Amino acid sequence: MENAVIVGTYQFIGFHLCRSLLEDGETVYGVSYPNLQLEDSEDKQLEIGRNANYEEIGWEEKFKGNSGKIIYDCYDILNSDKIISQIKNDLHIESNIQDLTDRKHELIFLGNVLDFTRHEEELFPMLKSIGIPFRFIYYPTVFGPWQPKEFLFVQLLEDCNDIELSELEYKEDAIFIDDAAAATKKLMMETSTACLFLTSGIKNHWMHGKKAIKEFPVKIPRYQIPSCLQSYTVDNKNNIADNLEMQRRHIKMYKW
């Protein structure tokens, strides 16, 4: 694989994808979104910062390297608006467009499937007008170590008293973060499909996960996956109960 730049290295999916690529011996350059604070970034930095193949670079440097993949983690359901605005501003700068063109970069965006319509309206036309190769990979709920606190699984695992169920969380399917990272890595190298949607292939998998933690009443809204998204079923290496146990142990490790 060519060198990868991951924008949002300490975001949920970006971090796990970065770690997975480093474990394969790939070179990864990490970039953080400006003015986007993450409370767990120091712990994540300690985990991957010791790897000789990892280098953290500044926001302005990400397009300056040799040809490769520029990967944006846009999955953050609380800061999606900020992230999209930063991407749009970044790609309106003429010198950035020139760097992308000259160095033959490919842009890959990792997003929450519930953000598809907004991406289609705000990012797709701009990217097409620029003429840079781009792809989008979308996800349902992704869970596991470092899952953000706004997701229901985290709140149930932490036994929160006041549960806040986000309407921005996709509730018809769920995939474990390691499986998501492995599938993403494979798809980046083996396909050029413009828009993909990762699935577990297991009916009501999100609901199975919720029930494996505790009983909590939830109404599941139906969302029609856009027909232009090609589905890809990940390899579920463990059952959902075992994966949730890993997440539970991780929460205990960092909470107490």
Side-chain angles (χ1 to χ4, degrees):
M1 180 174 171
E2 299 166 301
N3 294 341
V5 174
I6 298 182
V7 183
T9 320
Y10 302 127
Q11 300 291 130
F12 180 40
I13 296 178
F15 171 73
H16 285 274
L17 179 61
C18 176
R19 189 176 66 178
S20 183
L21 288 169
L22 291 172
E23 288 172 353
D24 288 347
E26 304 287 353
T27 298
V28 180
Y29 297 94
V31 182
S32 295
Y33 284 107
N35 305 315
L36 199 63
Q37 300 298 319
L38 299 172
E39 64 180 27
D40 52 20
S41 59
E42 289 186 8
D43 292 317
K44 292 175 179 175
Q45 188 177 38
L46 285 172
E47 188 169 337
I48 62 176
R50 293 187 292 267
N51 193 300
N53 289 338
Y54 176 73
E55 181 181 348
E56 192 162 351
I57 60 176
W59 180 257
E60 298 78 12
E61 301 175 77
K62 60 186 176 300
F63 301 144
K64 304 296 184 184
N66 297 326
S67 62
K69 302 183 188 304
I70 312 291
I71 304 157
Y72 288 87
D73 182 351
C74 311
Y75 185 74
D76 190 327
I77 66 176
L78 286 186
N79 295 295
S80 178
D81 289 349
K82 291 180 182 179
I83 288 172
I84 291 174
S85 294
Q86 289 177 346
I87 292 171
K88 288 170 64 178
N89 291 338
D90 206 32
L91 296 178
H92 273 124
I93 298 172
E94 188 173 342
S95 60
N96 287 343
I97 297 173
Q98 193 62 52
D99 283 336
L100 285 167
T101 303
D102 292 346
R103 292 171 170 80
K104 300 179 181 179
H105 289 306
E106 178 189 21
L107 304 182
I108 300 177
F109 300 86
L110 315 178
N112 174 7
V113 71
L114 295 182
D115 281 332
F116 173 81
T117 299
R118 185 172 181 194
H119 291 170
E120 186 179 39
E121 294 172 352
E122 298 190 29
L123 292 179
F124 286 23
M126 180 182 64
L127 290 164
K128 288 177 181 177
S129 68
I130 292 172
I132 304 298
F134 69 90
R135 287 186 275 163
F136 280 78
I137 300 176
Y138 289 97
Y139 307 82
T141 286
V142 180
F143 69 99
W146 300 116
Q147 186 186 35
K149 293 179 179 179
E150 57 268 21
F151 285 88
L152 181 64
F153 289 3
V154 175
Q155 297 179 63
L156 294 178
L157 288 167
E158 291 187 345
D159 200 22
C160 295
N161 293 322
D162 299 316
I163 302 291
E164 294 185 18
L165 190 60
S166 174
E167 63 181 14
L168 301 175
E169 178 175 358
Y170 183 79
K171 305 175 185 69
E172 293 186 56
D173 195 10
I175 53 179
F176 189 57
I177 183 60
D178 288 352
D179 300 331
T184 301
K185 188 170 57 176
K186 180 179 180 181
L187 289 167
M188 288 194 304
M189 293 185 286
E190 296 183 3
T191 182
S192 58
T193 303
C195 292
L196 288 158
F197 174 56
L198 270 57
T199 75
S200 70
I202 302 171
K203 188 176 180 180
N204 299 323
H205 204 216
W206 185 90
M207 185 63 77
H208 293 329
K210 181 193 72 66
K211 288 182 176 179
I213 305 171
K214 66 187 299 185
E215 287 297 331
F216 182 81
V218 176
K219 184 177 181 180
I220 308 294
R222 292 299 170 188
Y223 175 79
Q224 184 64 43
I225 299 297
S227 59
C228 61
L229 289 181
Q230 180 178 319
S231 293
Y232 177 86
T233 303
V234 305
D235 180 12
N236 301 287
K237 294 187 176 178
N238 300 302
N239 64 54
I240 198 164
D242 289 342
N243 287 333
L244 286 167
E245 182 56 31
M246 281 189 254
Q247 183 169 352
R248 187 194 304 274
R249 290 199 300 267
H250 184 269
I251 288 171
K252 286 185 177 181
M253 183 187 308
Y254 283 92
K255 188 174 180 180
W256 292 285

